[in-house]
Amino acid sequence: MHSSANRGRGVCLARLFPIAAFTVLTLRLCSGDEYGSVNLIRNSSFECGTVGWQGYLPWAVGIGYSLPRLHGEVVRADDAPHGEMVLRLKANAARATLKPLWLSANAVEPLMASTGWIRLCAGKTYTLSAFMRSDGDAVAKIAVYHPSGHYYEHQCRVSKSWQRYQLTFEALDEPTLVVIGPCSYGNQAGEASVFVDAAQLECNSTPSPYKPRSQFEFFVASDAPGNVWMRASDMNLCLVGYNDGEDAEITVDARVTNYQNAVVSRRKMNIKISKASKTLIPLSDLLPKAFGFYRVSVHAYDNSQQLLGIADARFALLRVFDGVDSPFGLDGVYACGNLMLLAKRAGVLWRKVRLRGLDEFELVGENDNADAKVDWVLKFGLHGLLSISTSALPDARKSVTEMMADVGCTEAVNAGLIAQFVESKVKLYRTRITAFELLYNEPQHVVCSQAHSHQVSNYIELLKVAYKSAKGLCRDCLFLGGVRACRIETAREFAKGFIAAGGLKFADALALEICLAQSSPEMLEQLIKESIAQMDAQDKRKPIWVTIWWSHTGGDAYGRLPESFEDELADGARYVRLAAILLSHGVSKIFHSNGHELPKGHFGGLFFEPDGAPKMALSVQAALASLLTSSPLPLGSLNLGSDGRCYVFRTKKGVTAVAWLVDGGAENADVHLPLGRYIKAYDIMGNEIKSSKVKLSSVPIFLTSTARDLRSFASVVRSYRHQSSSRRRH
């Protein structure tokens, strides 16, 4: 028998997806001593089905790579080590679907993981164990993974009869995931299936006799992908529970809260659960009919009112976007088709697909998976932007440093090689993609003694060759030129030199990719204003595409995503404000980053939790796209005083405005806008506000009217009242 126990640094996938028919939709941090449990794993014997477990790809970097489903099924087994149900896992079926989106077989090792991070006591010894058997020659692993990338794992050749396998380790001062499944190194797993039952994580140096986490286990679950609905009539949730002990009666208190954390519905139930049985309790009558983001929280108590456990779930009802184009996009793709469709329904119709660079492969294009990703984008009726950066351009015989030096400062580039490279890519994708960008990659990373103007001029020469090659093959394609920078200051310096040197002659639009979160939206707005003013001064206005922008708050330089509902609402408000500001300045497309690839501190993406449940931003994005429609035309802004902002757009249905108070003025200002026959207001989730007037705050609202221009719209709202309990900001 082969076995090994390893501790090392790896890549921890920070994007996971719900699994099988019922999907648990909670991401909770489970404390080791919660409810006095010995076993820290929920649904560890799979009597509730697959809830509490999700797919996991340990070597897939980035949050977009989600498993569409757990590659397994819960089946009944007469010889199960505990209860009646066991989990059957088979790697090959999932691997065939997922491999085109990755670059090597090692990346496609779909395992299963416990849903939610588990807190351990740092320095103490823990043992993870599970019963496994196989129906063939199979190698499996049991492991624990941490957000930092540290992991412990134990590999073993699985017996054809049930045996218990274990991993003992010393806990780190960070949460962990339990990971189990067949290995796919080479052909070790073959066609065999691995059966798993009675998993246990305990604070002990050796495994104790198996016990479930508690006598009563329950989960809030749904049959809808991501727990997101487009029609209120389709919404459904249920409580899935299992009683591992004697007949019992419990009390369940279920409540639903909205995006403002206000309770919108509540119900208490007394439930009788028979011995060793599973129960399903519908919760449909709790679900609201208004658009937006919601959370359902269920507390269970025994007859003495002692808390038995808590189950949480996120869900959303989207105001659906139905256009064929929109101003909004995301970087990369989700491997899960359901997530692609849900983002599309929220108006995210563009995806940025990057060509791999020389820093990752010896030869450009070798093992490049862009082709599969482009086909994946088109499969869902989305638009693709193929991104080529200076780090992805050949000379294949040179290192990245040498190549960057060629482009940036010391030598003339090989124009023929560049033309051949771009021509090959345009020729390959021209029938599938109409937008391409060639970015000057990280100019602050190019170390050279030449002046900045020399770097820009060399890039323009490169862009000129690429632009002519692309247009020669596809005259109607959009070819963007611009910069990929970590800081706005770097992007501003580059854009200024690029425009001044006439670089826009060889680009249909200016592309700006800002790839770190430490730059503020106000700085980005200033960059856009300066670039437009500079173009207008030369009478050479071109569109601007922001092809990556961080939309997240969180307090660190790497875009750590929000960890509370208050943070998510602040993020949603910030998201809408930034979009309104950029679109008002004539920005054509806004591509948002979906999260950072660094595993540390990463708990999901912009729109989805790691288990695929919706974040508040998904509902916000859906309302924004639906009310602005496909191609909003900026008309200008209304003067609401120093504390107010109101940006107005012409849409297919009339005029839509986005209004709010700046953060500093929102606390003390009292600004109301009148509503009536000719104007309607909608909250940030897209629901109409039924009132004769609406009070502004830092959370934006939408105003719609059948007016066709700024003047007529302004006449409707000109009677607004502005009262402030403090001096206006200057």
Side-chain angles (χ1 to χ4, degrees), residues 39 203 299 302 331 345 430 446 454 566 574 582 595 607 671 678 682 707:
N39 189 354
C203 186
H299 293 64
D302 62 15
D331 183 23
R345 294 295 181 88
R430 61 182 173 176
V446 179
H454 187 54
E566 292 77 12
R574 182 173 180 264
L582 294 183
F607 295 130
V671 180
Y678 301 105
Y682 298 83

Side-chain angles (χ1 to χ4, degrees), residues 329-359:
L330 275 180
D331 183 23
V333 300
Y334 301 126
C336 173
N338 286 326
L339 296 190
M340 296 284 283
L341 286 173
L342 291 177
K344 178 183 179 181
R345 294 295 181 88
V348 183
L349 267 64
W350 284 81
R351 292 298 176 130
K352 182 168 181 170
V353 178
R354 300 175 185 271
L355 287 180
R356 296 290 180 174
L358 284 172
D359 54 335

Side-chain angles (χ1 to χ4, degrees), residues 75 120 129 171 311 326 340 402 440 457 469 514 569 613 643 721:
V75 297
L120 305 179
S129 61
S326 84
M340 296 284 283
E402 292 171 328
Y440 186 73
S457 63
S469 296
I514 314 297
L569 179 56
D643 294 329
R721 298 193 302 273

Side-chain angles (χ1 to χ4, degrees), residues 32 58 131 141 184 209 296 302 329 367 392-393 412 416 432 519 531 581 605 632 644 677 684 698 727:
F131 286 87
K141 71 166 61 173
S184 57
V296 59
D302 62 15
N367 295 320
L393 294 169
R432 293 176 286 170
S519 302
S531 299
I581 290 171
R677 181 177 178 183
I684 197 171
S698 60
R727 291 170 52 182

Side-chain angles (χ1 to χ4, degrees), residues 408-460:
C409 50
T410 60
E411 301 176 10
V413 296
N414 186 329
L417 194 59
I418 299 303
Q420 183 180 6
F421 175 80
V422 173
E423 183 177 323
S424 67
K425 297 304 176 184
V426 175
K427 184 179 294 184
L428 177 62
Y429 295 111
R430 61 182 173 176
T431 60
R432 293 176 286 170
I433 283 183
T434 59
F436 303 82
E437 70 174 359
L438 176 61
L439 296 179
Y440 186 73
N441 187 51
E442 304 284 12
Q444 69 271 28
H445 290 169
V446 179
V447 179
C448 64
S449 59
Q450 301 292 331
H452 173 72
S453 60
H454 187 54
Q455 299 181 38
V456 173
S457 63
N458 272 358
Y459 167 72
I460 292 176

